[in-house]
Amino acid sequence: MRNISSWSIKNPIPPLVLFAMLTLAGVVSFMTMDINNQPDIDFPAASVIVSQPGAAPTELETQVTQRVEAAVRGINGVDEITSFVSEGQSRTNIQFAIGVPIDRSVNDVRDAIANIRSDLPQGILQPQVQRVDVSGGPIAFISVEAVDMTLEQLSWFVDNTVAKRLLAIPGMAQVKRSGGVSREIRVVLDPARMQSYGLTASQVNDQLRLVNLNAAGGRTEIAGSEQSVRVLGNADSALALSETQIAVGGGRSVRLADIATVRDSFAEQRSLSKMNGRQVLSFSITKAKGSSDVTVYDQAHAELDKLAKENPQVHFTELYTSVEYTKEQYRSAIDAMVEGAALAVLVVFIFLKDWRATVISALAIPLSAIPAFWFMDLLGFSLNNLSLLALGLVAGVLVDDAIVEIENIVRHMRMGKSAYQAAMDAADEIGLAVVATTSAIVAVFLPVGLMPGISGQFFKNFAFTVVVSVLLSLAVARLITPMLAAYFLKSKGQAAHGEGAWVGWYMTILRWSLRNRWKVVLLGGGGALAGTVLAFATLPLTFQPTTNTDFSQVTIALPPGSTLAQTTAVADRATAILTASPVVEAAFSDINIGAGDIFLTLKKDRPMTSVEFERNLAPKLQAIPDARVNFQSQSGGFNGRDMSVVLTGNDPVLLETTASRIVDQMRGLKELRQPRIEGDLRRPEITIKPRFAVAAQLGVTTAALSSAIRIATLGDIDQNVAKFSLSDRQIPIRVALSEDSRRTIATIADMPVPTASGGSVPLKVVADISFGAGATELRRYNQQRRVMIGADLAPGLVSGDAQPKIDALPVLKNLPRGVEKVQFGSDKWQAELLINFVIAVIAGVLLVFAVLVLLYKRVLPPFVNMGSLALAPLGAGIALHLAGMAVSLPVFIGLLMLLGIVAKNSILLVDMAIEEMSQGVERTAAILEAGHKRVQPIIMTTIAMVAGMLPIALSLGGDGSFRAPMGVTVIGGLIMSTALTLVIVPASFSLAVGAEEWLAPRMKRWFTNDEGAKTPKPAPQPAE
């Protein structure tokens, strides 16, 4: 590496061509890279969905969920299994270990479910096994209006035309309609007439399914030619269908119209959407993994514009999107990077006062940053929050190596050398130090990029972007900067360099430090360490800083059994409270039966952050009676709550009892608001218990009884209903009682059920009917029942304020046997991240030590550099206190960056001192000379890095909740550690060399044969 700069100076064309090609590749990659808010994580997972309309969660758990879990548990690579059981549906998610081939694993899951299909209930829909490809939630909600369409026609337009066109866009994963209705033929049974004819709903449904269809009839050969035979039984209209004859037994039949009302209508509405209180038909779009938020969103809007032109009567309106936040973050990150680079270049000019040297240094930033995009593209990275943040943070670091090179060249020029000779000599002198300083940063971040698990995938974007960009800056500093300096700088003869009042002051302090080495090291170093512990011990701790976005989300939950009208009333009331705030610009409600979401768009010029707005309005929303209305947590909490506790066990009763005791104790913590068990409300039920003796005499089976009641009240499952054929689709023929008939228990008690003789009897004859209550939803984790407790934080607090007190609750410290507290979901990933992060930091520090030992070929001086790492966090802790910020994930990343930068400064000092001593200069004189020569480049690089990170710390544009703590940490730590490094490192190096001189002959005598070659001591040489 020493000779590569001189080769570049003598052969300028190859380096110029190389970086021209790299820059061109970087520009092309930058223009084609995906733009996302967060990096895409390769999260190998599959889901198994089994639906059985009307089935209670308790029955689904034992008959379906447990069997599915047992079937997939033995598949190779399964990490964890989670299940969610609600009315009529069992959903099991299988998460595989990172690195497991997902396509093969999904096929293994599909085979496992196929093997147990015969063990599952007959009344289920076909089990759906699918790969989890959706990345996050919907990126936009869009409403549709039309002046010449009915609600049913508009719904079909969205399902058929809009969805098909949007799903053709690369990267579009899902288009889901909300609100509207689906067309179907409604056969509304008359209970009295059904009883008079002795017919059951299942008999009518079965006969329609067998009669109303077009079927194949074989093949004939008539008149010498071949004909295919078709059986056409499908009715042409609802009127024709109503004329269908239904057999009632005994050779008799009755018209369908005599026992039911048949109409071409739509399905019972189970959801709706509202915008600012007005009902709309909407749909959401969701992108697939590995695709760009911005690209998918922009292409979707372009396609909708085409649809609007093709259908002038249709009008699309965007209700809500999170992509504008992504775009704003992207723009602000690019701006911060450019502003930081400009400020760093300005610092170079202020110090060197030479525009040619400034331009040469400034070229290092684009020549390092732009080619980095090409390498990021090769690694499969996108332009996301973390990768752009990495480039923003290293904007000042990229010019660092070039500053050291150019400052050394200018120093040699001011000794009277020509620019060419100065470039040759200076590049050779500083070469190893520049390589070592860059290697220190690479050594710190490389283990972070290689972390395993989900956390490793998340931070791979950040760490490898830093590594690639600083390696490119090293290449620029060794190949381009000396070469340009040799041909473009102008020598002005001998001149003073690195002089001035401030240098004189530093040299006075340095001499005092070397005279009082032990005091400086023990008091200064020990005081810094104690100050660091004190500073961080008094800071609040949280995993993820709260974000300040232009959108917010409210979740609504009503007691089980609530109707759509009741849910809509609560949503309207919550919307009225929200829109009364001057902060809210628009409110979009997505309402389902018993639950809903309100998506808020906040004004950009609001006087408060989104989190402050949420915590101010939360008490008003929680005051709404008979409903749970909460803001979705923006603090990274699981299941929409700031804090969560997850318990597992095989005994549901013991689990619920333990969870209730924990909730009671959590209510006594002033840091928490609204602690409760999620999904703990029980839903009202009507229980039907067969009288087995009577049922056996009449030949009524439990299965027949269940089928008759289910079809009468709900209709049969889609795969078993008759179909009505249209030119472009088939619509279901739904046989069921009218909604009015389902409102009295007497109607249900009088429902006919089939007997073995072909007749029917009223339900109340063969069964007891009563009211009851059952579970609303059941959660499972790794084949055990799971209970989740959630709570919100009090205003102004972070998770670190409450978590220790939750962990200290008496019940949690002494859980009963059979109940276990588990880390689940984001909590599990956070714990994994912290462990991996600590391992990565230790590995990074050891790698830095290895690099320094290789550079110095000595053991004790590297310990001086390693000791300087302990000086890094003090300034960061003080800066965080001044800024009023908590210790969070970005702070840890900033501390990691500090380790590399602080090592950089100390390396420049120690390397120069060792170089001087190798020329025979006395130890103290060598240290003083190193301090004199290196103080200016150290101060220059420090101020340049601080200037480069200033836009990130201030975060004047976009949401700086993640960027700002990182910038504040690095800037505070950099300023303090540089000041301490310039004073403490020379003193500790002097002590280390003294210890080495005392130990060396003794170690040689004790551990070697003392026959090594005797190297004559070189004569003293004057320093350059």
Side-chain angles (χ1 to χ4, degrees):
M1 291 300 288
R2 281 183 181 271
N3 297 326
I4 194 169
S5 295
S6 58
W7 172 86
S8 174
I9 293 170
K10 296 173 183 176
N11 303 276
I13 301 301
L16 290 174
V17 172
L18 171 65
F19 275 90
M21 293 174 62
L22 286 174
T23 303
L24 180 62
V27 170
V28 173
S29 294
F30 177 78
M31 296 172 65
T32 57
M33 287 175 74
D34 291 338
I35 301 173
N36 290 324
N37 185 31
Q38 297 292 348
D40 270 314
I41 296 176
D42 183 15
F43 188 76
S47 70
V48 180
I49 302 173
V50 181
S51 297
Q52 186 178 9
T58 309
E59 279 68 48
L60 275 177
E61 181 187 33
T62 54
Q63 298 174 13
V64 175
T65 309
Q66 291 181 2
R67 292 178 179 178
V68 169
E69 290 174 344
V72 301
R73 178 77 264 184
I75 295 175
N76 185 40
V78 171
D79 182 26
E80 64 181 29
I81 301 172
T82 57
S83 297
F84 181 83
V85 190
S86 58
E87 181 183 351
Q89 188 181 82
S90 165
R91 178 188 293 271
T92 300
N93 291 318
I94 305 101
Q95 181 184 328
F96 296 93
I98 300 296
V100 173
I102 183 59
D103 292 327
R104 189 192 72 189
S105 299
V106 171
N107 287 332
D108 290 344
V109 172
R110 192 171 285 116
D111 292 342
I113 300 304
N115 290 337
I116 63 164
R117 179 62 183 86
S118 59
D119 297 331
L120 301 178
Q122 293 299 314
I124 65 170
L125 296 175
Q126 184 65 28
Q128 301 295 312
V129 179
Q130 53 197 12
R131 174 178 170 174
V132 178
D133 271 332
V134 173
S135 178
I139 59 174
F141 284 87
I142 298 161
S143 70
V144 193
E145 296 173 281
V147 294
D148 62 346
M149 293 186 191
T150 64
L151 185 60
E152 185 277 322
Q153 290 171 332
L154 189 58
S155 300
W156 175 243
F157 177 76
V158 171
D159 292 342
N160 185 50
T161 307
V162 176
K164 284 180 181 177
R165 294 278 286 271
L166 292 182
L167 287 171
I169 296 172
M172 184 71 74
Q174 186 181 63
V175 177
K176 183 180 179 182
R177 173 168 58 84
S178 178
V181 291
S182 299
R183 183 180 174 185
E184 65 182 27
I185 303 296
R186 301 292 302 275
V187 178
V188 183
L189 301 174
D190 185 324
R193 289 180 176 271
M194 293 284 289
Q195 292 170 28
S196 65
Y197 284 105
L199 280 172
T200 66
S202 56
Q203 290 171 335
V204 174
N205 183 73
D206 291 342
Q207 290 192 48
L208 285 177
R209 182 159 49 88
L210 296 172
V211 171
N212 191 76
L213 81 163
N214 296 338
R219 185 173 62 241
T220 62
E221 294 181 8
I222 299 175
S225 64
E226 188 175 277
Q227 300 89 21
S228 61
V229 180
R230 294 172 60 202
V231 179
L232 303 178
N234 214 309
D236 296 330
S237 64
L239 178 62
L241 182 67
S242 68
E243 298 298 321
T244 303
Q245 295 292 320
I246 303 296
V248 295
R252 297 176 299 125
S253 65
V254 62
R255 280 191 323 146
L256 181 60
D258 293 335
I259 58 172
T261 302
V262 182
R263 53 176 181 259
D264 189 344
S265 183
F266 46 80
E268 181 182 347
Q269 191 169 12
R270 306 282 292 176
S271 67
L272 59 87
S273 301
K274 283 192 168 187
M275 181 65 180
N276 292 333
R278 182 173 58 88
Q279 186 169 344
V280 295
L281 188 151
S282 68
F283 61 90
S284 62
I285 57 175
T286 307
K287 79 172 187 78
K289 279 184 183 177
S291 56
S292 166
D293 295 12
V294 175
T295 303
V296 170
Y297 173 82
D298 289 343
Q299 290 184 359
H301 269 278
E303 196 64 41
L304 291 176
D305 290 341
K306 291 181 185 177
L307 279 168
K309 290 179 181 178
E310 295 167 8
N311 304 273
Q313 76 280 14
V314 178
H315 179 64
F316 297 100
T317 305
E318 185 173 88
L319 305 175
Y320 164 87
T321 181
S322 60
V323 177
E324 286 302 324
Y325 174 77
T326 303
K327 289 182 177 180
E328 187 179 358
Q329 290 297 91
Y330 167 75
R331 287 190 293 265
S332 62
I334 294 292
D335 290 345
M337 190 162 53
V338 174
E339 292 161 5
L343 288 171
V345 171
L346 180 63
V347 168
V348 177
F349 181 74
I350 291 172
F351 271 90
L352 296 182
K353 299 179 180 64
D354 185 330
W355 70 268
R356 289 175 180 265
T358 303
V359 170
I360 292 171
S361 301
L363 282 173
I365 297 176
L367 289 180
S368 303
I370 295 176
F373 291 117
W374 181 56
F375 288 98
M376 290 164 62
D377 199 15
L378 291 179
L379 291 168
F381 298 166
S382 62
L383 296 174
N384 56 66
N385 197 17
L386 282 177
S387 59
L388 289 174
L389 179 60
L391 286 175
L393 273 179
V394 298
V397 179
L398 295 182
V399 77
D400 201 11
D401 291 336
I403 288 175
V404 173
E405 290 269 8
I406 204 75
E407 193 274 342
N408 207 37
I409 293 170
V410 169
R411 183 173 65 83
H412 276 260
M413 284 171 54
R414 290 174 179 173
M415 293 166 61
K417 300 179 182 179
S418 67
Y420 188 93
Q421 189 60 43
M424 294 284 284
D425 294 345
D428 179 67
E429 178 187 271
I430 203 74
L432 281 179
V434 171
V435 172
T437 55
T438 302
S439 300
I441 294 181
V442 171
V444 167
F445 279 95
L446 191 60
V448 176
L450 297 174
M451 285 194 306
I454 300 292
S455 55
Q457 296 221 10
F458 193 74
F459 281 103
K460 181 169 62 177
N461 288 255
F462 182 87
F464 280 133
T465 300
V466 172
V467 168
V468 165
S469 56
V470 297
L471 286 176
L472 284 167
S473 76
L474 172 64
V476 172
R478 301 301 295 142
L479 292 172
I480 302 298
T481 303
M483 181 261 291
L484 292 178
Y487 292 105
F488 289 97
L489 287 183
K490 286 189 175 181
S491 179
K492 298 176 182 177
Q494 290 192 358
H497 180 80
E499 302 296 339
W502 68 273
V503 177
W505 296 338
Y506 169 66
M507 294 305 296
T508 302
I509 295 171
L510 181 57
R511 291 188 186 94
W512 176 86
S513 171
L514 293 175
R515 287 195 303 269
N516 300 274
R517 296 177 300 173
W518 285 106
K519 290 181 182 177
V520 169
V521 172
L522 294 178
L523 296 179
L529 193 61
T532 300
V533 173
L534 180 64
F536 278 90
T538 53
L539 283 170
L541 175 68
T542 184
F543 181 77
Q544 195 87 300
T546 53
T547 56
N548 180 25
T549 64
D550 291 334
F551 51 86
S552 187
Q553 183 179 346
V554 174
T555 59
I556 299 171
L558 269 70
S562 301
T563 63
L564 184 62
Q566 292 168 334
T567 311
T568 304
V570 171
D572 288 345
R573 183 168 178 180
T575 301
I577 294 172
L578 293 165
T579 52
S581 170
V583 172
V584 176
E585 186 171 291
F588 165 65
S589 305
D590 185 16
I591 305 169
N592 297 293
I593 292 181
D597 293 285
I598 302 175
F599 297 91
L600 303 174
T601 303
L602 307 181
K603 294 178 180 177
K604 291 186 180 294
D605 57 349
R606 59 186 181 272
M608 62 182 74
T609 68
S610 56
V611 174
E612 289 170 347
F613 157 75
E614 290 173 1
R615 292 188 175 172
N616 285 341
L617 270 187
K620 294 182 180 179
L621 294 178
Q622 290 165 359
I624 296 175
D626 301 325
R628 290 175 175 176
V629 186
N630 293 92
F631 282 99
Q632 183 86 4
S633 172
Q634 293 190 7
S635 304
F638 172 65
N639 206 31
R641 309 299 299 276
D642 293 330
M643 308 301 297
S644 60
V645 176
V646 180
L647 305 176
T648 62
N650 286 318
D651 186 342
V653 176
L654 179 61
L655 202 58
E656 288 288 339
T657 304
T658 306
S660 298
R661 291 170 57 203
I662 292 173
V663 169
D664 291 340
Q665 293 184 1
M666 287 173 74
R667 289 196 178 105
L669 300 178
K670 64 180 186 300
E671 292 83 4
L672 300 180
R673 298 287 185 272
Q674 301 287 323
R676 60 172 176 262
I677 302 171
E678 299 300 315
D680 59 327
L681 299 176
R682 297 177 69 79
R683 63 173 191 161
E685 294 178 340
I686 292 178
T687 57
I688 300 173
K689 297 180 180 179
R691 298 172 185 164
F692 292 108
V694 177
Q697 289 177 355
L698 296 174
V700 177
T701 63
T702 303
L705 189 149
S706 168
S707 176
I709 302 303
R710 175 172 51 82
I711 292 173
T713 56
L714 194 64
D716 207 348
I717 58 177
D718 285 349
Q719 67 195 34
N720 289 341
V721 298
K723 300 293 192 298
F724 187 80
S725 297
L726 301 175
S727 59
D728 56 350
R729 55 181 161 143
Q730 282 193 321
I731 59 175
I733 299 173
R734 190 78 59 192
V735 177
L737 293 174
S738 67
E739 294 178 29
D740 291 338
S741 300
R742 286 182 273 162
R743 289 177 181 151
T744 62
I745 197 168
T747 305
I748 296 173
D750 290 333
M751 281 184 189
V753 293
T755 64
S757 62
S760 64
V761 294
L763 173 63
K764 60 187 177 183
V765 173
V766 293
D768 294 320
I769 306 167
S770 61
F771 287 101
T776 308
E777 55 192 29
L778 301 174
R779 295 176 171 88
R780 295 175 59 81
Y781 176 73
N782 283 346
Q783 296 180 276
Q784 288 187 315
R785 185 72 72 84
R786 167 173 64 93
V787 169
M788 207 217 67
I789 304 165
D792 297 324
L793 287 169
L797 299 183
V798 295
S799 59
D801 298 320
Q803 191 62 55
K805 296 188 178 181
I806 294 174
D807 294 336
L809 291 175
V811 178
L812 276 176
K813 293 182 74 174
N814 298 282
L815 287 172
R817 182 176 298 177
V819 176
E820 181 184 4
K821 180 178 181 290
V822 297
Q823 290 176 324
F824 177 74
S826 58
D827 292 340
K828 178 182 177 182
W829 302 335
Q830 289 172 14
E832 173 195 89
L833 172 61
L834 290 175
I835 294 171
N836 290 339
F837 207 77
V838 169
I839 294 172
V841 168
I842 294 172
V845 169
L846 292 177
L847 279 175
V848 171
F849 181 75
V851 167
L852 295 177
V853 170
L854 291 172
L855 172 70
Y856 299 151
K857 300 182 178 64
R858 304 168 78 157
V859 176
L860 285 184
F863 280 106
V864 175
N865 298 108
M866 304 312 293
S868 71
L869 299 184
L871 306 176
L874 175 60
I878 295 172
L880 289 171
H881 272 287
L882 294 175
M885 295 177 174
V887 177
S888 58
L889 184 59
V891 171
F892 288 121
I893 300 173
L895 290 173
L896 198 65
M897 175 70 78
L898 270 179
L899 295 182
I901 295 172
V902 173
K904 211 173 166 104
N905 289 338
S906 63
I907 287 170
L908 287 174
L909 273 176
V910 173
D911 176 71
M912 188 67 196
I914 291 175
E915 185 75 20
E916 292 287 331
M917 289 169 60
S918 68
Q919 300 298 322
V921 180
E922 187 268 330
R923 178 178 59 191
T924 302
I927 295 173
L928 287 170
E929 184 66 19
H932 185 266
K933 288 182 179 180
R934 289 290 182 254
V935 65
Q936 179 161 305
I938 287 174
I939 296 296
M940 281 178 66
T941 53
T942 297
I943 296 177
M945 285 186 282
V946 168
M949 293 171 194
L950 205 55
I952 290 176
L954 296 176
S955 292
L956 299 178
D959 174 27
S961 57
F962 196 89
R963 299 196 303 264
M966 199 179 300
V968 168
T969 300
V970 175
I971 288 175
L974 196 54
I975 293 171
M976 179 66 74
S977 63
T978 299
L980 293 175
T981 297
L982 287 171
V983 177
I984 297 176
V985 166
S988 57
F989 176 72
S990 178
L991 291 173
V993 172
E996 195 175 59
E997 290 173 350
W998 184 85
L999 275 174
R1002 290 167 176 77
M1003 299 285 285
K1004 189 175 182 179
R1005 192 166 58 247
W1006 296 339
F1007 297 107
T1008 71
N1009 56 20
D1010 202 18
E1011 293 180 0
K1014 307 294 183 183
T1015 305
K1017 187 176 181 180
Q1021 299 289 331
E1024 291 182 335

